[in-house]
Structures are given as C-alpha cells and as structure tokens.
Amino acid sequence: GSRAPAVSTRAPAVSWLVGAAFFFCMALNHKQMTLYYAPAFFVHLLTLSLCEEAVLDKVRVFGTLGLTVVGTFALLWAPFGLNNPGGARRILARIFPVQRGLYEDYVANFWCVSSLVYKWRRTWDKGVLAGLCLVATVGACVPSLGLGVVGVRRKQRGTFVLMLAGVSLSFYLFSFQVHEKSILMPLMAISMLGENRLTARMQSVGMMTMYPLLKKDGLVVAYWAMQGLVAVVGGLDWPLHSVLVLVHCIGAFVLVESKPFLEDAVMMTAGFLFYV
C-alpha cells in the first residue's frame, strides 16, 4: 500500500516559539516591569531560531518571530497613534519616567546603596545617569545571557530559568528608577528553579528590603506573619534569620526623628550585600 506522508516536527516547534513571542509581547505591554525578562526571552528565542540546520529555516523562523513581535506591538499601539498623534509619546513618558531621576525611595540596589557615600543625583545629569544605568545593566546581564546561549546549544534544561533569574536580578540591581516591588521579578524566576532553600532565603531577604514600604502602608503585622510562614515552610535558616532579626533591631534602634532614613539605609544595604 501507499506510505503515509511524513509529518514535520518543525511546525509545532515554530508554533510554540511564535506563541511564546506573542504572549510575552502581551505581558510586556500589560506591565512594563516584564521588561526585566525581555533580554532573556529575546536571546532564548533568537538562539533557538539560529539552531535550525538549514539557512533558509533559520531565516524563516527568525522572520516569523520578528513579524509576530512587530505585529503584536503594532496592533496594541495603533489605537493610541491613530486617534491621538501625541498619545503614544505621552504613554512612553509615563512608562519610562526618566524625569523622576535615578530613584525615589530607597531600594536595595547599587545606586541607592552607593549613594550613601557618593551622591549620584547631585553630581550627574539625569541623562548621564540613565546612560550609566544602561551600561551597568547590560554588562551585568551578559554572563546570564551567555549561560542561556550555551544552555540552548547544549540542550541543557533549566538554563532558561537561570537566565531569567540572573537578568531580572541584574535589572533590579543596576537599572534606572527601580521600585521596591521590582524584586518580585527575580524572586518569581528563582522560585521556578526548584531550590527550596534558596527560594526561602531570597523571599525572606526580599520582604526585608520591602519592609520600609510595607511599614508605610501599615502592613507590619502582615510582614512578620509572612516572614514566619516562609521560615516554617522553607525551613528555619538560623544564620540568615538571626541576621535578619539583627538588622531589624539595628534599624529600629537608629530610627530617630532627625534621621528617619537610617532604617531604610540599614535594610537596603543588608539586602544588597545578600543579593550580590
């Protein structure tokens, strides 16, 4: 009898890549904080497309992904550009608030911690600081992106999640205008690694770095409840939790009316040292 035609295994793979590109573009346009994952997704999808054997297949997959990204952005942004010529520009200004400066509240990243000894905002213009942040962030992302490329080439599982964690943490530590809650991005990636001990540690320290913000919102009781829950579920880590309690005690001790920022400084310095 006649033989059944061979079924291509490439099409489903390409469709999965296209779906990943489409849904990530949707997520990126829904919440700009997803930008923390953008370099990892770009490098991962680009490397997968270049792993095709034939040159035409490389071009086809890469072109399909490019059209998916451009088409998704065009579809989402068209109403703002068509109905109001200046609308897209105003939205971008709100998404990337360069005019606000390097940072507002104290965050456990390089710029806030180093500002204790060197006043970046007083010394340099906002444009220069934005450029410095860009260079520092890209430089910090390179090792994680390289790991992701090697992982795809060697078909190693788990390297994509490692790349997500490394890149998002690099954004948190070195990018421009970082918010306290941005630590949730690397925490979410780290929680997917399956390392329960590391996840519990990062969650405890991450909550500590957000303590000044939570205290401002009246969530101190909820904060300590979550710290206790993480300690119970993730396992009590005596060295880490002892230091965490000590940091809180020091922060409470130095909290005086004349220098209220000292508590924030203690929290963010301890968190930054742990992340690094």
Side-chain angles (χ1 to χ4, degrees):
S2 61
R3 297 178 58 184
V7 178
S8 173
T9 58
R10 290 295 181 187
V14 174
S15 64
W16 278 106
L17 296 182
V18 170
F22 170 76
F23 284 110
F24 182 75
C25 289
M26 297 291 286
L28 184 58
N29 282 274
H30 173 70
K31 187 68 175 177
Q32 67 267 28
M33 215 161 52
T34 315
L35 186 66
Y36 281 37
Y37 292 155
F41 269 87
F42 173 78
V43 168
H44 187 72
L45 294 176
L46 176 62
T47 306
L48 285 175
S49 66
L50 296 179
C51 284
E52 298 287 339
E53 297 180 0
V55 176
L56 288 179
D57 287 336
K58 297 178 191 288
V59 175
R60 178 177 60 85
V61 176
F62 179 75
T64 303
L65 292 175
L67 288 175
T68 301
V69 172
V70 173
T72 304
F73 270 82
L75 181 65
L76 292 172
W77 283 82
F80 303 103
L82 294 176
N83 297 333
N84 188 352
R89 185 173 62 254
R90 288 194 293 269
I91 292 173
L92 288 173
R94 293 292 299 272
I95 293 176
F96 302 104
V98 179
Q99 71 281 358
R100 294 184 185 178
L102 187 58
Y103 57 85
E104 293 181 57
D105 295 325
Y106 287 105
V107 184
N109 70 356
F110 171 78
W111 306 108
C112 288
V113 172
S114 61
S115 67
L116 295 173
V117 294
Y118 183 81
K119 304 305 178 183
W120 296 96
R121 294 188 296 183
R122 297 179 186 175
T123 308
W124 299 98
D125 182 74
K126 294 177 182 178
V128 175
L129 290 175
L132 288 175
C133 290
L134 176 62
V135 173
T137 304
V138 172
C141 288
V142 168
S144 298
L145 296 175
L147 175 66
V149 172
V150 173
V152 172
R153 293 289 185 180
R154 296 180 179 178
K155 299 182 179 179
Q156 295 175 338
R157 293 182 177 272
T159 53
F160 174 64
V161 179
L162 279 172
M163 181 167 55
L164 281 179
V167 169
S168 57
L169 188 58
S170 298
F171 266 79
Y172 178 81
L173 292 177
F174 296 105
S175 61
F176 193 88
Q177 189 63 219
V178 175
H179 193 275
E180 295 96 328
K181 67 176 181 291
S182 300
I183 190 60
L184 296 174
M185 302 304 288
L187 283 179
M188 185 164 57
I190 291 171
S191 66
M192 293 187 290
L193 293 174
E195 299 289 340
N196 295 335
R197 195 75 165 177
L198 175 62
T199 300
R201 287 182 174 183
M202 288 294 294
Q203 287 176 343
S204 293
V205 177
M207 284 190 290
M208 183 194 71
T209 59
M210 289 194 296
Y211 177 76
L213 177 65
L214 297 174
K215 183 178 180 180
K216 187 185 301 182
D217 293 339
L219 298 173
V220 175
V221 175
Y223 166 81
W224 283 111
M226 289 304 301
Q227 285 284 21
L229 181 62
V230 170
V232 171
V233 175
L236 191 62
D237 189 334
W238 283 108
L240 174 66
H241 288 99
S242 298
V243 172
L244 188 145
V245 172
L246 177 62
V247 167
H248 275 285
C249 292
I250 295 174
F253 179 75
V254 300
L255 181 58
V256 293
E257 292 184 2
S258 59
K259 296 182 179 181
F261 68 90
L262 286 178
E263 184 181 33
D264 295 357
V266 172
M267 300 292 176
M268 71 178 183
T269 302
F272 175 75
L273 293 175
F274 178 84
Y275 296 146
V276 173

